[in-house]
Amino acid sequence: MNKKIIILNGAARKNGNTAKLVESFEDGAKSVGNQVKTFYLDGMEIHSCKGCLRAGRDSKSPCSQKDDMEQIYAEFEEADVVVFASPVYFWTITGTLKTVADRLYAELECLGYSKFPKKSVLLMTADGGDYSQAVTWYRTYERNLGWKNLGEVLGKGKTKEAYRLGATI
Ligand SMILES: Cc1cc2nc3c(=O)[nH]c(=O)nc-3n(C[C@H](O)[C@H](O)[C@H](O)COP(=O)(O)O)c2cc1C
């Protein structure tokens, strides 16, 4: 309750299957008093990491590239919970979401990894059912960063599960 949550939605379709899960999660999270900020990444200008390894000291603008990631850095720093949302694209997360996950490197380098004991959530949809590669990516990311996995909702129709998970945050 009263947690700050950011949702990084890597789906391109604003009213698609993933957005429905995201909205249900958001409704659940808000119903118990949490603050939620959702980023629809597809509409944002976010370039891929250039690998320059030159993270700066300003946590609001730690990356050498100045683009819409700055909106996310500002919210990420304060967030208690980070939600990764994506459709399955060729058995993994979308490139859009992966790009943002890569770009968080600059922020983590800037403030120090131990300053980010985040909690995280995975929301995904697919036509088939093979989420294994995406789940492995997610669990590897959060585990190695020392975050806590609060849950995963995998499946197009699972809006009730998404709401319930949101309401437990
Ligand atoms: C480029 C592309 C690749 C996809 N690859 C897969 C896949 O590997 N496995 C699967 O089950 N569905 C795949 N799908 C289907 C989507 O994951 C599924 O329709 C999803 O719910 C779409 O989410 P959205 O409505 O939020 O865009 C793919 C769709 C697209 C456009």
Side-chain angles (χ1 to χ4, degrees):
M1 273 180 226
N2 274 322
K3 299 258 172 29
K4 191 160 177 188
I5 301 170
I6 60 167
I7 303 179
L8 304 172
N9 184 359
R13 301 198 308 161
K14 292 238 162 23
N15 298 310
N17 302 319
T18 312
K20 289 190 178 76
L21 277 196
V22 164
E23 283 157 21
S24 297
F25 177 90
E26 192 172 338
D27 289 345
K30 284 179 175 167
S31 74
V32 291
N34 297 302
Q35 260 182 279
V36 186
K37 170 85 181 166
T38 301
F39 291 97
Y40 289 90
L41 306 175
D42 186 62
M44 299 173 73
E45 189 196 335
I46 298 177
H47 302 287
S48 56
C49 176
K50 303 298 179 209
C52 69
L53 305 178
R54 283 192 283 112
R57 292 190 177 179
D58 175 4
S59 64
K60 301 282 182 286
S61 182
C63 185
S64 61
Q65 299 188 77
K66 306 304 172 194
D67 59 16
D68 287 344
M69 267 311 286
E70 299 201 347
Q71 297 172 31
I72 296 177
Y73 291 137
E75 300 287 338
F76 175 80
E77 186 180 351
E78 307 292 326
D80 301 296
V81 181
V82 180
V83 179
F84 295 96
S86 177
V88 170
Y89 274 13
F90 290 104
W91 305 284
T92 191
I93 57 169
T94 59
T96 315
L97 181 61
K98 178 65 166 60
T99 294
V100 168
D102 290 349
R103 291 286 302 281
L104 290 176
Y105 172 84
E107 181 81 315
L108 294 162
E109 283 287 315
C110 174
L111 287 175
Y113 291 81
S114 59
K115 290 226 176 98
F116 290 100
K118 305 283 189 208
K119 294 172 177 144
S120 59
V121 166
L122 180 68
L123 304 176
M124 293 197 75
T125 66
D127 283 344
D130 188 351
Y131 294 93
S132 57
Q133 197 176 177
V135 169
T136 297
W137 171 83
Y138 164 73
R139 290 184 186 170
T140 305
Y141 192 90
E142 55 85 18
R143 187 184 63 242
N144 283 286
L145 291 176
W147 297 3
K148 182 170 191 257
N149 183 10
L150 296 182
E152 298 154 7
V153 178
L154 312 174
K156 274 196 233 185
K158 298 200 174 169
T159 49
K160 283 189 186 143
E161 286 91 331
Y163 184 95
R164 277 201 290 270
L165 180 58
T168 65
I169 305 292

